[in-house]
Amino acid sequence: MTDTTASRSAVPTIELNDGTTIPQLGFGVFKVDPAQTEKIVSSALEAGYRHIDTAAIYGNEEGVGRAIAASGIPRDELFITTKLWNTEHGTESAFAAIDASLGKLGLDRVDLYLIHWPSPAQDRYIETWKALEQIQQQGKARSIGVSNFLLPQLTRLLAETDVVPAVDQIELHPALQSTELTTFARSKGVQIEAWGPLGQGKYDLFEVPEVTGPAQAHGKTPAQVVIRWHLQSGNIVFPKSNNPARIAENFAVTDFELTDAEMAGITGLERGHRVSAHPDEVN
Ligand SMILES: NC(=O)c1ccc[n+]([C@@H]2O[C@H](COP(=O)([O-])OP(=O)(O)OC[C@H]3O[C@@H](n4cnc5c(N)ncnc54)[C@H](OP(=O)(O)O)[C@@H]3O)[C@@H](O)[C@H]2O)c1
């Protein structure tokens, strides 16, 4: 096995509002084929990643669990996130959903359990959140958070429940930064996780001069520059790749630093461009 001790220890951690810490850089497995998941997650663990982001709906929690078990890595060195799917809103459904996910992962607790989407048309996310508060008390999730909550849902959750979410995991990349939401969330102690950090490869992010210029200057790839921009912006990220070379590439981002001008150039790419579903429309 390659010695990745140095690069692994270089991954910054962020303290969550419940006192736990999360590695700021992880590996996401959305659209990783369940049949390939064990192999791909194993190559991520070998590359040095210790934070894996999955979800019940991805259908690959079992593969993630097998890779964890086969790795021999002590459980306390790993940070595992999974998410409650939209059909499982409500108290009893949430209790069943976490048990099903833990069973598939082969774990007795996850490090972070998220409501995947608020599903506003169902109007049950307050009830579901209160169930997650109990799931945390039971020790089945060390931290709890939300995903795809926009300002109206986050504001309401903070007003009507007791535990402030540790994170809000939202679509976030240079062309969609949702600054009003991230500023509000951070002011309340909610850390921001950026999903689709590379824009899911759906626009010309890797070809614009604001990204290719710094890539050339630092001898890095455009993807590494974008991931570095997230880290220096304070976002938690877990880029996905099926390709072992890219998996390693995306992890090699702790040995250079973007200048203030390079950061500003990439931040200037904001154009309110959503590449995936709007949270109001997912129910
Ligand atoms: N909460 C939510 O609703 C939600 C929604 C979406 C995603 N997520 C989470 O966020 C994670 C990341 O987001 P994402 O997977 O949607 O998108 P992403 O990480 O922004 O982009 C993944 C795409 O970029 C390509 N890619 C990866 N590394 C590359 C590199 N170094 N150079 C060129 N292309 C590269 C991948 O292709 P290859 O695989 O071919 O390398 C894939 O097509 C997910 O895996 C999931 O864990 C959460």
Side-chain angles (χ1 to χ4, degrees), residues 107-119:
L107 300 176
D108 54 15
R109 65 154 169 90
V110 288
D111 298 283
L112 181 58
Y113 195 46
L114 305 181
I115 298 180
H116 204 148
W117 297 84
S119 307

Side-chain angles (χ1 to χ4, degrees), residues 17-28:
N17 60 17
D18 54 16
T20 64
T21 55
I22 183 170
Q24 202 185 350
L25 175 61
F27 182 69

Side-chain angles (χ1 to χ4, degrees), residues 5-252:
T5 314
S7 50
R8 207 166 57 234
S9 58
V11 170
T13 54
I14 287 192
E15 188 172 335
L16 302 176
N17 60 17
D18 54 16
T20 64
T21 55
I22 183 170
Q24 202 185 350
L25 175 61
F27 182 69
V29 296
F30 176 46
K31 291 201 172 157
V32 173
D33 179 350
Q36 300 295 318
T37 301
E38 179 179 355
K39 196 177 82 185
I40 289 170
V41 172
S42 296
S43 70
L45 295 173
E46 181 141 349
Y49 294 84
R50 291 294 180 267
H51 165 188
I52 308 292
D53 183 274
T54 185
I57 195 67
Y58 301 167
N60 55 21
E61 289 171 310
E62 282 158 323
V64 172
R66 282 195 297 271
I68 292 170
S71 73
I73 297 168
R75 177 67 185 90
D76 285 350
E77 291 180 19
L78 294 168
F79 191 102
I80 309 298
T81 299
T82 195
K83 314 184 191 88
L84 172 140
W85 186 239
N86 306 342
T87 49
E88 312 305 324
H89 276 285
T91 310
E92 292 309 318
S93 304
F95 292 154
I98 184 65
D99 287 345
S101 284
L102 290 174
K104 287 179 181 167
L105 288 160
L107 300 176
D108 54 15
R109 65 154 169 90
V110 288
D111 298 283
L112 181 58
Y113 195 46
L114 305 181
I115 298 180
H116 204 148
W117 297 84
S119 307
Q122 292 189 43
D123 196 18
R124 297 190 79 182
Y125 59 85
I126 297 291
E127 180 191 346
T128 306
W129 182 252
K130 290 179 178 171
L132 261 64
E133 291 178 346
Q134 291 187 57
I135 286 167
Q136 183 180 36
Q137 279 163 17
Q138 293 160 1
K140 293 179 179 178
R142 213 164 51 150
S143 298
I144 53 174
V146 296
S147 177
N148 298 302
F149 277 46
L150 302 181
L151 275 171
Q153 294 89 36
L154 193 56
T155 309
R156 182 172 167 212
L157 195 73
L158 293 173
E160 295 184 20
T161 66
D162 294 329
V163 176
V164 175
V167 306
D168 191 359
Q169 182 180 128
I170 55 172
E171 180 185 336
L172 199 164
H173 41 82
L176 182 76
Q177 296 172 43
S178 303
T179 309
E180 196 189 350
L181 172 58
T182 62
T183 303
F184 174 76
R186 288 183 169 123
S187 78
K188 300 294 179 189
V190 181
Q191 294 290 339
I192 296 298
E193 295 195 327
W195 67 253
L198 305 174
Q200 297 187 325
K202 289 182 178 164
Y203 63 99
D204 61 355
L205 181 60
F206 296 161
E207 277 126 51
V208 296
E210 291 83 352
V211 173
T212 56
Q216 247 179 349
H218 295 280
K220 290 286 177 178
T221 66
Q224 288 172 321
V225 166
V226 173
I227 295 165
R228 185 71 213 174
W229 172 82
H230 280 288
L231 296 182
Q232 288 182 222
S233 302
N235 303 330
I236 298 160
V237 272
F238 23 82
K240 169 264 173 188
S241 179
N242 278 328
N243 173 321
R246 285 174 171 177
I247 290 172
E249 173 187 325
N250 295 346
F251 193 69

